[in-house]
Each structure stands twice: as C-alpha cells, then as structure tokens.
Amino acid sequence: MEKAKYIWLDGDFIPWDEAKVHILTHTLHYGLGVFEGIRAYHCHDGRTAIFRLKEHIQRLYDSAYVMQVAIPFPKAQVEEACVEILRKNEQKEAYLRPLVFIGDGAMGLNPGDNPIRVSIISWLWGAYLGDEGLIKGIRLKTSAFTRHHVRIMMTKTKTVGNYVNSILAKREALQAGYDEALLLDTEGYVSEASGENIFMVKDGLLRTPPLTSILPGITRDSLLTLARDMGIPVRERKFSLDDLYLADEAFLSGTAAEVTPVREVDGRIIGSGTRGPLTEKLQSTYFDVVKGRNTTYQRWLTFV
Ligand code: PPE
C-alpha cells in the first residue's frame, strides 16, 4: 500500500508513520470496533466526489450504537474529516477507511471507560477483485463456513470481529484456487460474499437476498435504486445455491469490489461464462454515477 501524507486520528491530522497505537489497545485483543469503507472518485470534470458519504457515516454511527461504542465526535465532524483528508493528502481518488476502536486502559472483556478512538485512513485502492475480474468476471466458491447467525453477531453492523468469519472463508476460497468466497446463512440460503453482497439474474429478473442477516450494502442499495429506475424487475427474497447455479448472470457488489461479475460458482459456469448484459448495464451505469457522468444521482456525491 502506498503511504499518504496524513491520517486523521482522534481529531487531528498526523503524519502517516506516526499513526500508532499501544499494544494494550482493547480492540486488538477482543475485536470490538466498527468501521466503514468509502470510495472517492476522480470525476470526468476533474473534481473529486465521495460516493454516498452521509450514508456510510450514518452506518458507522448505527454500527457503533448497536455495539454500544460511543463515538466521541459529532457525525458532521467525521464527515468533514473525510473530505478534508483527501484535500490534505492531495488525493483525486481514494478509498477511505474510518475506524472506531477501543483504546488502552482496562483489560478484560468489559472495556469499561477505555477511550473510544477514531481514525480515518485514505489510500489508493484499485479493483478489489482485479481489473480482469471487473470485465471477465470472477470465480466464486461456496464456503464451509456459515455466515453469522443473528443471535451470534450483529450481522447488520460493520464490526471488526465479524470479519474473522470473512477471513476464514476468503482464505479457504483462495487456497482452493478461487477468487472469492460465498457464504450461506444458517438455513443454507445464499447470504453474501466475504466482503460483498450478491445478485443474480434469471429471465430478466434481478434477485438479491433480503436484509435478514447480511450487511445492508450501500452499493446494493444504489444498484437496486438504479435497476428500479431503469424499469428492471427486482426481487429481494432468499434463494438457494441451485437457483444461483442456474442463473443467467451473477455479480457481487461492494464499495471496494464495485460491481464485479461472477462467471463461475463451485465449478458451474454461470450463463455464458462472462459478464452478462444486465450486469454490464448496471456496472457501466454505476461507474457513470460514481464518476459524476450521470447527473441524475448527483445527490449521492459529496464534492471535495
Ligand atoms: N457485505 C460485506 C460482508 C462487506 O464487508 C461489504 C463491504 C459489503 C457487503 C458491501 O457493502 P457496501 O460497501 O456498503 O456496498 N466490504 C468492504 C470491506 C472490504 C475490505 O476488504 O476491507 C468494502 O467494500 O469497502
């Protein structure tokens, strides 16, 4: 990763190399922390726009609220810091990572009154699943690990510790020669990938699992809005692996992964084995929106 000049930590911009924490940092030991991933794009007119900043920061505060982690900054200040860090780092395009964590003080499972700390990091992050993946599609493997159950984890939060489940699944997929892992829910229905939501297309119908026990993806929400506005029929309902194997098209959505086509699942070729036509349409519309070429959705952009 290429270093930027500054990192925002607890209200101040400090040099990248000085953004360090103590080894007793509570989150390091027990995994209670919340985070976000946000992208800023270099627009066609030369400006930089952060995509759906308000929604990402709202989800950060929602995650923190559910996990009873009191963020010691007003939302507006964290939003402003996301804008400001891009200016300070002179980045036209970046991935922003706000992270809320519990600092050092008491050890043990009850964090007591350890300080709640907030940082924002910005760095250049290319295509999450590869440039080729964006065009040709990736190979997905169903994981032996099940997605978190709603009585085990707060599945709608972006909690640090939740991602151990994702890491286990991702590594398993990579070790088997696949690009990404698909996780099923505790009933065995398709839920989401290690770091993305999933969509499938069958007979012109766009399908995605409901928000029962998955991360309410902001990219997912954006694509559902775009699809509905384009007149594409959409259904948010559970589906099984055999539904997915028989799909005409499939793709993953996420801030990092953007819209990545899926060309194979567990050895079954999906549709024509390449990026499908509806996937391509949604993908190109998504890129037009985030890069400010499509002005209909300019309400989603925060210009830096
Ligand atoms: N599900 C999971 C489990 C998930 O982590 C993400 C984002 C999504 C769905 C899609 O959410 P959204 O970005 O709001 O559309 N994953 C982030 C983390 C990537 C990482 O490796 O770190 C991301 O895409 O930023």
Side-chain angles (χ1 to χ4, degrees), residues 41-285:
Y41 289 92
H42 192 186
C43 295
H44 69 113
D45 63 1
R47 290 190 289 175
T48 290
I50 306 177
F51 187 61
R52 303 197 73 174
L53 174 63
K54 272 202 159 14
E55 291 87 344
H56 279 284
I57 299 303
Q58 184 60 49
R59 191 172 65 185
L60 182 73
Y61 278 73
D62 287 349
S63 294
Y65 181 77
V66 168
M67 302 314 280
Q68 297 190 298
V69 172
I71 302 179
F73 297 98
K75 235 184 281 176
Q77 190 179 348
V78 174
E79 267 174 35
E80 186 48 37
C82 287
V83 175
E84 198 51 38
I85 197 156
L86 294 171
R87 293 192 190 126
K88 284 267 213 197
N89 284 336
E90 295 165 33
Q91 288 161 317
K92 286 278 181 200
E93 195 152 291
Y95 180 86
L96 294 161
R97 167 55 52 82
L99 171 68
V100 177
F101 61 101
I102 304 176
D104 55 296
M107 286 300 279
L109 291 182
N110 181 12
D113 53 10
N114 288 17
I116 305 302
R117 309 191 58 187
V118 185
S119 70
I120 303 168
I121 312 146
S122 69
W123 71 89
L124 198 61
W125 208 354
Y128 187 62
L129 295 168
D131 288 319
E132 203 184 281
L134 279 180
I135 299 162
K136 293 191 176 159
I138 58 117
R139 296 173 59 243
L140 200 57
K141 184 188 188 312
T142 302
S143 179
F145 296 98
T146 302
R147 200 56 165 163
H148 291 297
H149 184 266
V150 289
R151 288 184 69 178
I152 293 173
M153 274 294 190
M154 298 287 101
T155 61
K156 286 167 196 154
T157 66
K158 225 170 148 55
T159 295
V160 174
N162 287 12
Y163 281 81
V164 176
N165 175 247
S166 287
I167 292 172
L168 289 171
K170 177 88 187 185
R171 276 198 185 146
E172 180 197 23
L174 294 180
Q175 283 163 12
Y178 284 79
D179 304 306
E180 180 55 300
L182 172 68
L183 292 102
L184 306 180
D185 66 17
T186 49
E187 284 183 282
Y189 292 97
V190 170
S191 67
E192 59 185 335
S194 77
E196 305 89 359
N197 292 116
I198 186 163
F199 286 82
M200 61 167 274
V201 178
K202 183 72 178 179
D203 298 330
L205 178 67
L206 183 64
R207 302 177 64 178
T208 195
L211 297 176
T212 317
S213 57
I214 57 171
L215 189 75
I218 290 166
T219 317
R220 174 189 181 280
D221 177 77
S222 306
L223 293 171
L224 287 174
T225 302
L226 297 180
R228 287 188 177 113
D229 290 356
M230 286 171 168
I232 298 165
V234 166
R235 190 158 82 195
E236 292 177 69
R237 206 184 296 164
K238 290 185 182 196
F239 56 82
S240 56
L241 267 182
D242 39 14
D243 287 325
L244 181 60
Y245 293 157
L246 294 170
D248 299 326
E249 302 178 34
F251 60 89
L252 303 178
S253 75
T255 299
E258 299 163 310
V259 180
T260 299
V262 174
R263 65 181 160 92
E264 186 192 314
V265 183
D266 301 333
R268 280 83 167 177
I269 301 297
I270 302 301
S272 59
T274 178
R275 176 172 60 187
L278 193 57
T279 304
E280 186 167 357
K281 198 167 157 192
L282 283 167
Q283 188 190 51
S284 69
T285 307

